[in-house]
Amino acid sequence: MNAQRLGTVVRTELAHQVRRPLFVILLLITFLVVWGLSSGNVTIESGASQVGGQKAWVTSEFAVSQTLIFLTFLLYTFFISVGAGMGVIADEEARVGPILHTTPLTPREYVWGKFLAVLAAYGLALGAMVAFLVFFHHVVPAGENAEYRGPLSLLNYVRPALFFGVPLLVFMAGTAFAVGELTRRPVLVYFLPVVLMFICAFFLWDWSPGWLDPRVNRLLMAVEPAGLRWLSETWVKVDRGVEFYNHERVGLDALFVFSRLGFIAVGLGGVAWSARHVAQGLRGAPVRTVKGKTLADVPPATPLGTFREHAPLASLNMGVRAPGLLSGLWDVARVEARGLLSQPGLYLFVPIILLQTVVQSLNAVGPFDTPLLATPGHFAVRSMGQASTLVCLLLMFYTVESLERERAYFFAPIHDATPVRTLSVLLGKAFANSLVGVAILMVTWLAVSLVQLAQGNVPVSLVPYAIVWGLLMLPTFVLWTCFVLAARAVAGGRFGAYGLALAVLCLTGFAAVRGELNWATNWPLWGTVLWSDLGPFELDRTVLVLNRVGALGLAAFFAALAVRLDGRRAPDSVSLLERLKPRGLLSGAWRLTPWMVVPAVALIGAAVQVGQGWQGDAAKKRAKEYWQKNLATWKDAPQPAIQDVDLDVDLEPEAGTFHTRGTYTLVNRHDKALESFALTGGDHWEDVRWTVDGKESEAEDRSRLYVFKPVGGMQPGTVLRVGFDFHGRFPRGATKSGGKVEEFILPSGVVLTSFGPSFAPVIGFLDDIGVDPKENKYEPRVYSDRYYEGQTEAAWGMGTPFTTRIRVTGPADYTLNSAGVLESDEVKDGRRASVWKSDHPMSMFNIVAGKWTVLRGEGTAVFHHPSHVYNVEEMRRGLNAARKYYSEWFYPYPWKELKLSEFPGLATYAQGFATNITFSESIGFLTKSTSKANAVLLITAHEAAHQWWGNMLIPGKGPGGDVLSEGTSHYSALKLAEQLEGPAMRMEIAKRLEERYAKDRHLDAEQSLVKLDNSREGDNTVLYDKGGWVFWMMEDLLGREAMHAGLQAFLRQYISSADHPVLQDFTAAMRPFAKDAAAYDAFVQQWFHEVHVPEYRLSAASVKQEGAQWVATVTVENTGTGRMPVEVAAVKGERFPERTEEEAAKGPATQSPDYRDARKTVVLGAGEKAEVTVRADFAPERWVVDPDVRVLQLRRESAVLKL
Amino acid sequence: MLSLRNLVKVYPGPVAALRGVDLDVPRGMFGLLGPNGAGKSTLMKILSGLLEPTSGEVTLDGADIVRNPEALRPHLGYLPQEFGFYPYLTGEAMLLYLLKLKGVTAPQGLKKLCAELLERVNLTFAAKRKVKEYSGGMRQRLGIAQALAGNPKLIIVDEPTAGLDPEERLRFYRLLAEVAHERTVLLSTHIVEDVAMLCPRFAVIRQGRVVAITSPTDAKAAIQGTIFEGTASAAELSELQRTRRVTQAVLFEGRNRVRIHAPNAAVPAGFERVTPTLEDAYLLLMKDEQTPAEASAPVHEVAR
Ligand SMILES: Nc1ncnc2c1ncn2[C@@H]1O[C@H](COP(=O)(O)OP(=O)(O)O)[C@@H](O)[C@H]1O
Ligand SMILES: [Mg+2]
């Protein structure tokens, strides 16, 4: 290589690169984005912003690393790919190659020069980004953001740029260069970064379930080009607190260093390879010499002309008939498809998109991070968002490039002068390109079906795909393609078209994220439809159809626009100006109006439906009125309690309607007379009539808060019967933009609860109606430290339990379940009437109905969709065991039967109403268990536990209350898992809960259990996972028998009490059962009142043989906080070896006979160390901390040391 | 009959490529002769409906081509000056595709027709090769094949002989001459010889204006007896070029052979009267500021 020539190439190319609009735009965007970011607070999610103390700085090395990775990845990869990848292609299109390569310039100099120039240009851009960041962080006054700014340290900026920015840029530039050079296809160059972005954003960056093998995780960290996965998995996932992030450097490890070097090597390797390829291309393709052949045997490329006299041309009898629309379309499509097949990109993108959608959708997780089974319909819908976005991008690139092809190959003048119709050309090309989309969907279907076949439990089917992809997604593609055609016609070229189309895509995405899309505007149907195997798309069917018709209509409009604008005749600038004058535009628009009719009618229709629907503006306004009118008087106003509920509910699932008649028997339990009381009714109720003690009553309707003023007031202890009669459709009208709906009456199923006024009135004012988080959010309530003293009101339900009689009628083929025991069940004239009566008082009630098959157990029953048989056996087993053991351990189950019923998956939740648990289909019924972690059992056991924790015992309202429902249920589930599946299963599940806690907690925002109020991010995992663990550890401390005795006493005390307990009441109630009160108090202080988690590290391990024995020593350190007795064991062999599904089906895992361990218990506080020595009569292989998984801790997987 | 009336084309700049062209092109072969940049290609693009003129009128047998370019397309054979094909198709597939796009029909079927056409442009041997492997001349011939396909009323060929070897050029002339019987063929070129061989009539175009419409014979007759040839030294030549109208000056055996136009027959010593060639006539037209054709041509305003 000649340095001078190389230098010339670099200089020329660099000058070109930095002057390109592309580059200038990039700098501009960077500037704007950095500015925008700096005015907000984009920082490590340490939750710190919520608490008063120290804030996480945006200027720390960690925060800068994250910002820099995002910016580099989102902005620079695309630009550098285009910059690097298009270089050789552009030279080729401009045909400068032959002249360039006849100079002394060598291919290596040419290639490396170009590459280095691009790299230098974007290196400059990276420098500019760093400069902008420094400028906005440290030079521009911070104003109210001052507390987010730390002192300037240049290293905080330079290190991230070097560690994360540079390897990524080299890698992207190198690969894009190689791809561009090798294939000479612009599409590939554009798509490369887009695909990479998707893989990272949707898979590599965030897919990290608890059960992921650490080796796989490390591999994923190594292959993730941006380094973000490494950063978050290594440093951020387990929250280390603001102090750490603000002051520490990002520590590198070998994995990171080697993988970054690897990326650089791949990038440079790509360039080196390109250099060779260019050189080869100049020399021409190598020809394999054929043995024994001489030059004479090889025919000349051009044979000597043969002068034959021809019959005159006229004798060929040629004629013309201008090609018709369809035949033209067909011809164009065929040739286009041929061109497509010759594109290598196809063979790259199809597998990538395939992998992306399939992996993404198959890896979906349900409640408690449990994996889900992919039934065809659920898979089809789940893959929609990804598939539609990716295929739209692909279609955009392919369509535009295909339209540009004539121009690029100089074929346009001949092509455009032929009589083929423009519409044929546009649609023919679009059609051929959409085959790519179709191919991707077909292959995806095939792949998923193969996976399903291999798994062997879910049936393979085509119908759901045909419905979801064919009817819902295809119109999106048609619309998008036609829009891209129009965009190109309007913008007049490649980049204009990309700009317009990407802008529309981004705007739609932005609106989607902000929740501003509705059925009229949500053209890609993002996040709208949910699948249910029980009956798809019953909700919002009309608006869905209108939306799709609108999409197709718009497609036709855009096609018409494209044909009108896509002149094959270059317009004259003068007449163009004429046409751009208002008059010209108007007349042009006027001619397109017929095409607007269909989409306008359909979309306006959809908008009207949305407006009138229950999430529409009118409904919102009415809800706000309810809030405004009644807040002051009725919030927290004393109300009578329910003594008895008598309901008669008539359901028409096909029509989505109901009719309720009933009576609440109310009693004033307060010691003062109530002048008036109020019931909240539903916005969807019609012809509402009330009676009081059997007499027609005119309740005051204050925007659906019905106020009753009994003559003379309601004296303490008085009983009063309020009767009601109303009907309605539920939910009424369309949703705003689809998505989850919690309660509904649909042909495929009915779910109604007494939490809201859906089918029965609710006592008092509901403070969440009409509250918009943006407009009138409540200030969080402040609780005093001793708020729980005296009588605490119930966190939910109506305070004290009451009796119920609920009569449900519906079509005969439905099973109609409600709370209590089935008193009678009759079918008359095709209508079933089921009467449910509480055999023991309850505090809430619900109705769930469906066309089910039932599987009955011992006092239990599972009602399920006939085809959802995968887990019902296991669920019944769980219910049976829960009923049996929870009754033994906690409190006898007071009701006769424990039912569990399935409802359509329009929402993902399970609710444990007394005797009548409801599961959405995606909970439990479609959960995927593994031989190691029985997720179905976990979920069933948890929900069943709510019969005790949440129904019989309703916790008090206030901080820490919920832990007595969710934490206890998790604890119960752990116990049940151990009972049924042995300790190995309990350990495995406990580890997963622990990992979820480590991953989701926000260290600086984390509150102790007694302060937990579910208001902060990260509270959820504390509530469930830490909660479950703490009760488990308490059992360890007290001993199993004492724990059971304590829980039983606690439940006896509080089940029928008007005072509802919170954690302080609980810990007080348990204290007498502790043998060592001091230890108990320390435990309660540490785990309930404070936030501590130990993290153990092992070091300095040694072993020596003494006769027949081995003496092993290790140092244990608690690098976390908290003080717990923990076992340290020297072990040999695998304790619970991997088992196959069949082995697992036989029963609980048993400890391997080859396994040996020798243990010692240590008690270590924060930062304390201890040397542990054990004697063993086996040769230990490794040290393990907490072999039985009994102490909640961080990064357990690192608390292992090989000997 | 193809008629152009007052055709003006102004490109953004603005630069005027056509400055008011009036032309009637009868049936048969018609040449459009002019130097590089005269506006020939611009004119042809307008005729083929690829470019909207700034103003003016074009009709073919009474049909308005400017208003309604689509109407002409089925009846048009067009060979642009610069063009390419899909490189990934074979020559045969490419031609077949074009036949379909043009809606060409033939009793023997398109496949056969395709083979026949390739035979006529001597590409049978390369029919199955990808177009990207074609040489420049081969590509040009494929272009010719597609331009002749169908039964076009109007064939427009823009500098068609560029890149053809003499043999192929002759072959092409034959083909063109053959088809020109029944239709209008408009041939643009900057090579006088092309016109001389092919065109009974032609127009000379310069700087966006038609400066003459004539036939080779008439053009030569008009300057009969006014062309003189002699030798001159380099110094003499530059003197001549200042004072006389030199039509051609070529080096012949190391000395300048100079032809001058002298209507009044006053010539330097050693110059002899020779038979004028078409080249002389053309070059004179190019030299003249004021030619009879232009003098009589109406001066048009450029655009609105
Ligand atoms: N797209 C264009 N924009 C601006 N000027 C153009 C364009 N196309 C051609 N020209 C100019 O118009 C003049 C006529 O060009 P053209 O018709 O190609 O000439 P010819 O074919 O006779 O050589 C030239 O000066 C050329 O530079
Ligand atoms: Mg030209």
Side-chain angles (χ1 to χ4, degrees):
Chain A
M1 255 198 263
N2 175 311
Q4 200 187 339
R5 282 199 304 264
L6 182 70
T8 314
V9 176
V10 174
R11 268 196 308 279
T12 320
E13 183 69 22
L14 184 61
H16 168 63
Q17 286 284 353
V18 298
R19 272 190 224 126
R20 291 179 77 171
L22 193 72
F23 189 77
V24 180
I25 289 174
L26 175 68
L27 289 188
L28 201 72
I29 295 180
T30 311
F31 185 82
L32 292 176
V33 171
V34 171
W35 184 15
L37 286 183
S38 72
S39 51
N41 296 303
V42 183
T43 175
I44 290 271
E45 264 198 26
S46 191
S49 49
Q50 291 150 331
V51 277
Q54 175 77 289
K55 304 286 190 217
W57 292 336
V58 293
T59 56
S60 71
E61 187 175 327
F62 282 93
V64 171
S65 292
Q66 283 188 334
T67 310
L68 192 122
I69 291 173
F70 278 122
L71 288 184
T72 319
F73 201 78
L74 296 181
L75 295 176
Y76 287 32
T77 50
F78 185 77
F79 282 85
I80 200 173
S81 294
V82 175
M86 291 299 284
V88 185
I89 297 178
D91 277 2
E92 187 185 65
E93 278 183 4
R95 301 182 177 178
V96 297
I99 291 180
L100 215 60
H101 294 305
T102 45
T103 63
L105 187 72
T106 68
R108 276 176 66 200
E109 288 158 8
Y110 168 71
V111 167
W112 280 104
K114 280 203 153 253
F115 171 76
L116 289 177
V118 172
L119 204 60
Y122 287 86
L124 285 178
L126 186 64
M129 184 205 291
V130 166
F132 295 155
L133 277 171
V134 171
F135 177 75
F136 281 113
H137 283 168
H138 301 282
V139 180
V140 175
E144 57 185 32
N145 292 328
E147 48 190 354
Y148 294 98
R149 306 280 156 83
L152 171 64
S153 153
L154 271 185
L155 271 188
N156 285 358
Y157 294 84
V158 175
R159 283 170 50 105
L162 281 182
F163 299 155
F164 299 101
V166 170
L168 180 64
L169 288 188
V170 174
F171 169 70
M172 278 316 294
T175 37
F177 196 95
V179 166
E181 202 290 314
L182 243 53
T183 66
R184 311 282 165 112
R185 306 271 180 215
V187 174
L188 274 173
V189 173
Y190 306 138
F191 222 70
L192 183 77
V194 174
V195 167
L196 202 69
M197 199 175 301
F198 263 79
I199 294 181
C200 284
F202 290 101
F203 178 60
L204 286 175
W205 284 353
D206 72 354
W207 185 73
S208 179
W211 41 270
L212 192 66
D213 189 323
R215 281 166 301 181
V216 177
N217 198 8
R218 273 199 296 279
L219 179 76
L220 293 179
M221 285 185 224
V223 299
E224 192 266 294
L228 187 67
R229 187 184 180 93
W230 173 84
L231 185 69
S232 29
E233 294 284 318
T234 320
W235 291 111
V236 183
K237 190 166 126 184
V238 173
D239 194 336
R240 282 154 203 276
V242 170
E243 201 49 31
F244 180 89
Y245 295 122
N246 280 357
H247 298 288
E248 293 297 316
R249 298 246 157 262
V250 175
L252 308 185
D253 59 15
L255 172 82
F256 181 73
V257 172
F258 281 112
S259 73
R260 293 312 104 178
L261 289 178
F263 278 112
I264 293 181
V266 168
L268 297 181
V271 182
W273 195 28
S274 307
R276 256 192 59 192
H277 191 254
V278 169
Q280 257 171 16
L282 289 182
R283 258 181 271 128
V287 177
R288 258 175 291 133
T289 45
V290 187
K291 255 194 204 130
K293 278 205 169 179
T294 64
L295 194 53
D297 298 328
V298 182
T302 310
L304 276 184
T306 42
F307 291 93
R308 221 157 39 80
E309 268 316 307
H310 296 291
L313 264 181
S315 71
L316 294 176
N317 287 320
M318 288 184 284
V320 277
R321 194 177 337 110
L325 178 67
L326 285 181
S327 73
L329 190 154
W330 178 240
D331 292 330
V332 171
R334 268 178 43 192
V335 164
E336 195 62 30
R338 240 169 112 193
L340 264 178
L341 289 181
S342 71
Q343 301 232 8
L346 205 59
Y347 306 100
L348 189 72
F349 296 142
V350 172
I352 289 179
I353 294 184
L354 178 75
L355 210 73
Q356 176 65 24
T357 35
V358 172
V359 167
Q360 177 70 22
S361 311
L362 286 183
N363 280 329
V365 289
F368 315 138
D369 275 359
T370 52
L372 287 177
L373 285 173
T375 67
H378 285 281
F379 176 82
V381 166
R382 238 182 270 149
S383 62
M384 247 177 90
Q386 288 251 339
S388 64
T389 314
L390 279 171
V391 172
C392 276
L393 282 169
L394 187 95
L395 283 178
M396 174 185 74
F397 289 129
Y398 271 95
T399 307
V400 172
E401 287 305 315
S402 143
L403 291 169
E404 287 293 316
R405 192 169 304 145
E406 278 70 43
R407 197 140 80 184
Y409 292 140
F410 295 90
F411 180 43
I414 292 181
H415 177 268
D416 291 352
T418 63
V420 68
R421 295 221 215 155
T422 306
L423 190 60
S424 299
V425 174
L426 293 181
L427 292 188
K429 289 188 170 228
F431 179 70
N433 286 304
S434 59
L435 289 180
V436 180
V438 173
I440 289 175
L441 294 184
M442 298 277 283
V443 183
T444 308
W445 172 75
L446 211 72
V448 173
S449 297
L450 286 178
V451 171
Q452 287 168 342
L453 273 181
Q455 284 180 349
N457 37 17
V458 173
V460 171
S461 157
L462 194 62
V463 182
Y465 299 97
I467 297 175
V468 176
W469 291 351
L471 292 181
L472 300 189
M473 207 149 67
L474 219 55
T476 301
F477 296 156
V478 173
L479 167 60
W480 175 250
T481 306
C482 291
F483 169 72
V484 170
L485 294 177
R488 180 179 169 275
V490 169
R494 192 185 260 172
F495 290 109
Y498 290 146
L500 263 179
L502 286 174
V504 165
L505 212 55
C506 291
L507 272 179
T508 313
F510 188 66
V513 169
R514 303 197 30 158
E516 279 164 10
L517 291 180
N518 62 39
W519 283 107
T521 52
N522 197 339
W523 61 270
L525 289 181
W526 280 338
T528 52
V529 293
L530 291 168
W531 178 266
S532 169
D533 289 341
L534 279 59
F537 311 132
E538 289 172 344
L539 198 74
D540 294 333
R541 198 171 273 180
T542 321
V543 272
L544 181 60
V545 169
L546 284 176
N547 173 294
R548 290 297 82 184
V549 169
L552 289 176
L554 265 186
F557 166 76
F558 281 126
L561 182 67
V563 170
R564 189 157 296 271
L565 294 183
D566 189 294
R568 284 146 80 176
R569 182 166 75 166
D572 188 68
S573 42
V574 177
S575 60
L576 193 66
L577 278 179
E578 201 65 23
R579 259 175 278 164
L580 286 180
K581 280 183 187 162
R583 260 193 69 170
L585 282 179
L586 261 177
S587 84
W590 176 244
R591 264 176 291 171
L592 282 170
T593 40
W595 295 101
M596 275 309 293
V597 174
V598 172
V601 167
L603 295 179
I604 291 174
V608 167
Q609 294 238 354
V610 166
Q612 293 174 346
W614 58 285
Q615 295 179 326
D617 288 338
K620 240 191 203 148
K621 193 159 159 272
R622 287 195 299 272
K624 185 89 177 270
E625 261 170 35
Y626 170 91
W627 180 83
Q628 273 172 338
K629 271 193 186 166
N630 303 310
L631 178 77
T633 320
W634 289 101
K635 188 172 180 327
D636 300 326
Q639 297 288 350
I642 297 186
Q643 202 170 48
D644 180 66
V645 167
D646 190 340
L647 288 178
D648 192 340
V649 184
D650 213 351
L651 295 174
E652 294 287 358
E654 286 299 335
T657 58
F658 69 99
H659 189 159
T660 301
R661 275 159 289 228
T663 315
Y664 283 175
T665 307
L666 304 178
V667 56
N668 180 2
R669 291 226 168 92
H670 304 279
D671 41 19
K672 267 193 261 159
L674 294 173
E675 207 170 292
S676 56
F677 63 92
L679 270 69
T680 296
D683 186 41
H684 56 288
W685 292 359
E686 285 167 41
D687 305 328
V688 187
R689 283 185 297 143
W690 299 96
T691 61
V692 174
D693 282 334
K695 286 193 287 285
E696 198 77 27
S697 156
E698 283 297 319
E700 185 195 349
D701 179 357
R702 299 175 61 86
S703 300
R704 299 285 169 168
L705 184 82
Y706 295 95
V707 175
F708 297 82
K709 292 200 172 91
V711 195
M714 203 175 170
Q715 295 306 319
T718 338
V719 172
L720 202 145
R721 287 156 43 87
V722 176
F724 38 85
D725 182 333
F726 50 85
H727 62 95
R729 177 188 304 277
F730 186 72
R732 194 201 48 208
T735 59
K736 186 178 169 212
S737 188
K740 302 199 160 169
V741 178
E742 309 256 313
E743 296 181 29
F744 43 80
I745 301 173
L746 292 173
S748 56
V750 177
V751 210
L752 299 166
T753 74
S754 63
F755 284 142
S758 58
F759 76 111
V762 177
I763 307 285
F765 173 77
L766 289 180
D767 52 13
D768 55 344
I769 294 181
V771 176
D772 188 320
K774 273 178 249 159
E775 292 167 16
N776 50 353
K777 202 170 83 174
Y778 297 106
E779 284 299 315
R781 183 167 153 191
V782 183
Y783 286 88
S784 78
D785 277 352
R786 317 188 72 85
Y787 79 96
Y788 55 88
E789 291 176 351
Q791 185 159 330
T792 313
E793 72 179 291
W796 51 77
M798 310 215 188
T800 42
F802 46 84
T803 52
T804 61
R805 178 191 164 277
I806 300 170
R807 180 172 178 270
V808 193
T809 50
D813 50 346
Y814 284 79
T815 308
L816 312 163
N817 282 346
S818 187
V821 281
L822 187 59
E823 208 181 47
S824 70
D825 185 35
E826 287 161 10
V827 175
K828 213 172 110 193
D829 304 333
R831 306 262 319 160
R832 176 185 302 277
S834 306
V835 180
W836 294 90
K837 215 167 165 180
S838 58
D839 46 343
H840 185 88
M842 44 188 70
S843 300
M844 297 157 278
F845 53 90
N846 68 340
I847 291 176
V848 57
K851 297 182 204 169
W852 296 311
T853 309
V854 59
L855 185 71
R856 294 191 186 276
E858 296 145 25
T860 57
V862 179
F863 294 86
H864 63 94
H865 179 55
S867 75
H868 283 174
V869 293
Y870 320 114
N871 297 328
V872 288
E873 263 306 335
E874 188 61 31
M875 292 165 89
R876 174 170 69 171
R877 176 169 168 250
L879 277 189
N880 283 346
R883 189 178 172 150
K884 176 164 178 240
Y885 291 108
Y886 295 165
S887 289
E888 257 174 44
W889 297 334
F890 309 143
Y891 194 90
Y893 190 64
W895 294 290
K896 188 168 152 242
E897 196 182 33
L898 177 54
K899 309 185 289 290
L900 193 165
S901 317
E902 179 179 15
F903 65 85
L906 296 177
T908 311
Y909 69 87
Q911 272 173 347
F913 284 86
T915 76
N916 197 27
I917 304 178
T918 54
F919 268 37
S920 117
E921 61 183 312
S922 33
I923 290 194
F925 289 94
L926 295 179
T927 294
K928 186 162 67 185
S929 282
T930 60
S931 56
K932 270 174 106 181
N934 189 337
V936 175
L937 181 64
L938 171 69
I939 293 170
T940 314
H942 176 100
E943 297 304 336
H946 279 312
Q947 295 290 311
W948 284 259
W949 309 108
N951 263 302
M952 289 179 223
L953 179 91
I954 297 184
K957 191 173 192 157
D962 282 3
V963 183
L964 278 179
S965 154
E966 301 301 350
T968 44
S969 291
H970 251 34
Y971 156 73
S972 309
L974 279 172
K975 277 174 77 67
L976 202 66
E978 181 162 276
Q979 182 73 36
L980 295 185
E981 305 267 5
M985 180 68 75
R986 195 267 308 161
M987 289 184 217
E988 188 62 34
I989 294 178
K991 275 197 233 169
R992 299 214 172 149
L993 305 187
E994 184 180 73
E995 273 160 16
R996 211 167 80 102
Y997 171 61
K999 185 175 70 154
D1000 291 355
R1001 69 196 288 248
H1002 285 225
L1003 181 62
D1004 297 285
E1006 185 171 334
Q1007 311 178 74
S1008 64
L1009 288 180
V1010 297
K1011 288 270 160 75
L1012 195 69
D1013 58 3
N1014 253 328
S1015 67
R1016 305 181 180 186
E1017 254 178 272
D1019 276 2
N1020 188 276
T1021 187
V1022 178
L1023 173 64
Y1024 283 81
D1025 304 312
K1026 178 177 171 181
W1029 257 96
V1030 168
F1031 291 116
W1032 177 265
M1033 290 191 291
M1034 183 185 262
E1035 179 174 323
D1036 253 6
L1037 178 79
L1038 299 179
R1040 188 176 156 98
E1041 293 316 315
M1043 180 79 173
H1044 288 178
L1047 291 176
Q1048 286 162 12
F1050 171 68
L1051 286 170
R1052 272 198 306 276
Q1053 181 185 348
Y1054 280 103
I1055 276 184
S1056 48
S1057 158
D1059 175 25
H1060 293 265
V1062 293
L1063 283 174
Q1064 285 88 338
D1065 301 307
F1066 171 77
T1067 51
M1070 298 298 286
R1071 194 166 185 274
F1073 297 85
K1075 279 193 269 324
D1076 178 349
Y1080 179 81
D1081 290 341
F1083 179 88
V1084 168
Q1085 183 62 26
Q1086 160 168 341
W1087 291 106
F1088 285 92
H1089 292 270
E1090 290 166 13
V1091 178
H1092 295 292
V1093 207
E1095 182 171 343
Y1096 298 102
R1097 285 289 161 277
L1098 294 169
S1099 60
S1102 66
V1103 61
K1104 58 177 189 285
Q1105 201 171 355
E1106 285 180 8
Q1109 285 204 319
W1110 282 263
V1111 178
T1113 309
V1114 74
T1115 303
V1116 199
E1117 183 185 359
N1118 178 3
T1119 58
T1121 60
R1123 173 186 294 272
M1124 280 295 280
V1126 64
E1127 285 179 317
V1128 185
V1131 305
K1132 169 178 171 279
E1134 198 65 38
R1135 187 171 184 188
F1136 299 104
E1138 285 293 329
R1139 300 194 302 166
T1140 62
E1141 298 277 335
E1142 291 89 67
E1143 284 165 351
K1146 284 192 194 119
T1150 46
Q1151 187 167 309
S1152 156
D1154 301 333
Y1155 171 82
R1156 307 292 302 276
D1157 63 24
R1159 313 178 175 198
K1160 196 157 246 175
T1161 301
V1162 290
V1163 183
L1164 293 174
E1168 290 175 6
K1169 263 189 208 182
E1171 198 181 75
V1172 175
T1173 305
V1174 295
R1175 286 181 164 273
D1177 47 10
F1178 57 89
E1181 291 167 355
R1182 62 186 188 283
W1183 281 100
V1184 178
V1185 175
D1186 194 22
D1188 290 346
V1189 193
R1190 300 197 158 273
V1191 177
L1192 176 65
Q1193 58 190 275
L1194 298 177
R1195 290 150 68 82
R1196 174 184 298 274
E1197 71 281 0
S1198 304
V1200 174
L1201 195 62
K1202 281 231 171 66
L1203 273 163
Chain B
M1 169 86 111
L2 178 70
S3 325
L4 286 65
R5 290 286 165 272
N6 192 12
L7 202 57
V8 173
K9 177 68 196 178
V10 181
Y11 283 117
V15 288
L18 296 179
R19 309 202 285 170
V21 171
D22 286 283
L23 202 57
D24 285 307
V25 183
R27 194 159 274 224
M29 188 78 100
F30 189 87
L32 202 58
L33 184 63
N36 289 335
K40 305 183 294 294
S41 294
T42 301
L43 181 58
M44 306 218 129
K45 282 183 206 156
I46 291 172
L47 294 184
S48 57
L50 295 177
L51 193 64
E52 189 186 13
T54 306
S55 66
E57 234 175 74
V58 182
T59 54
L60 178 69
D61 298 337
D64 188 339
I65 294 180
V66 173
R67 273 272 178 85
N68 191 5
E70 285 83 12
L72 172 66
R73 285 189 179 138
H75 310 292
L76 175 72
Y78 176 47
L79 179 68
Q81 183 176 0
E82 278 182 336
F83 62 90
F85 296 106
Y86 295 142
Y88 49 86
L89 289 186
T90 63
E92 192 182 31
M94 190 69 235
L95 185 57
L96 191 63
Y97 179 48
L98 270 165
L99 295 185
K100 285 181 185 159
L101 289 188
K102 296 178 90 161
V104 175
T105 59
Q108 68 273 36
L110 287 187
K111 272 250 160 79
K112 277 233 177 73
L113 176 64
C114 213
E116 294 267 8
L117 286 170
L118 287 174
E119 179 75 42
R120 277 174 174 72
V121 292
N122 197 18
L123 277 177
T124 308
F125 73 97
K128 303 275 183 222
R129 284 195 213 162
K130 293 255 166 77
V131 175
K132 67 176 166 208
E133 294 160 20
Y134 277 24
S135 74
M138 285 159 82
R139 206 174 316 128
Q140 188 76 12
R141 270 138 62 198
L142 191 60
I144 291 165
Q146 64 82 29
L148 298 181
N151 194 7
K153 276 201 242 169
L154 174 65
I155 294 181
I156 300 176
V157 286
D158 196 354
E159 314 225 359
T161 55
L164 293 186
D165 61 32
E167 208 175 300
E168 289 297 345
R169 186 193 297 197
L170 273 178
R171 192 199 267 278
F172 172 56
Y173 285 164
R174 291 241 158 71
L175 270 174
L176 263 194
E178 182 193 322
V179 296
H181 286 309
E182 306 126 35
R183 63 205 99 217
T184 306
V185 177
L186 191 60
L187 168 104
S188 95
T189 181
H190 62 275
I191 303 165
V192 180
E193 194 192 343
D194 285 351
V195 175
M197 286 177 79
L198 277 174
C199 303
R201 288 194 66 73
F202 69 96
V204 177
I205 176 167
R206 204 188 73 175
Q207 292 203 311
R209 285 204 177 89
V210 173
V211 291
I213 301 172
T214 175
S215 72
T217 324
D218 290 350
K220 283 187 278 191
I223 50 170
Q224 183 65 40
T226 64
I227 300 295
F228 297 81
E229 188 179 303
T231 39
S233 67
E236 286 167 337
L237 176 59
S238 54
E239 173 66 15
L240 278 174
Q241 267 165 340
R242 226 164 22 80
T243 55
R244 306 277 179 161
R245 303 178 69 195
V246 176
T247 64
Q248 298 178 59
V250 291
L251 273 175
F252 186 71
E253 291 170 355
R255 290 194 300 173
N256 286 310
R257 294 291 297 171
V258 182
R259 287 164 85 99
I260 54 174
H261 174 60
N264 47 12
V267 292
F271 276 71
E272 280 169 19
R273 179 172 279 138
V274 289
T275 325
T277 63
L278 193 54
E279 193 107 5
D280 290 321
Y282 170 66
L283 290 170
L284 272 178
L285 276 172
M286 288 303 109
K287 285 241 156 79
D288 275 3
E289 282 305 309
Q290 201 65 37
T291 62
E294 187 168 14
S296 63
V299 178
H300 300 289
E301 287 219 348
V302 174
R304 279 155 277 183

